[in-house]
Amino acid sequence: MSATESTRSKPSLRVLEAIADAEDVSPITLEPPFNDVVDPATLDRLFEPTAADDSVRGGHVSFRYRGYDVTISSDGAVKLS
């Protein structure tokens, strides 16, 4: 996936891709299922453009999943630590 495609994908998908890449596995094999830990739709909505001026909200969200501290920023960056 190119960097452009990655920044266009939903934040929840970018998180799954980053963890799957780090573990060299398919995203569908990750356990526990992502939606058991984080509501993907809510995560995606956090970074949707605002209705007022179509700008993207700023900020970041952090949570733990599969032993990783996951931080996703409004610029699309996903950090695993």
Side-chain angles (χ1 to χ4, degrees), residues 16-72:
L16 288 173
E17 291 166 353
I19 292 174
D21 285 349
E23 297 187 3
D24 197 28
V25 298
S26 169
I28 61 172
T29 65
L30 296 174
E31 290 289 332
F34 187 61
N35 60 347
D36 284 359
V37 178
V38 174
D39 182 350
T42 299
L43 180 62
D44 295 341
R45 279 194 303 271
L46 288 172
F47 298 111
E48 285 179 348
T50 61
D53 62 6
D54 216 25
S55 63
V56 176
R57 297 177 181 110
H60 66 274
V61 174
S62 297
F63 55 90
R64 286 198 53 80
Y65 178 60
R66 290 186 56 84
Y68 295 97
D69 290 319
V70 179
T71 300
I72 184 159

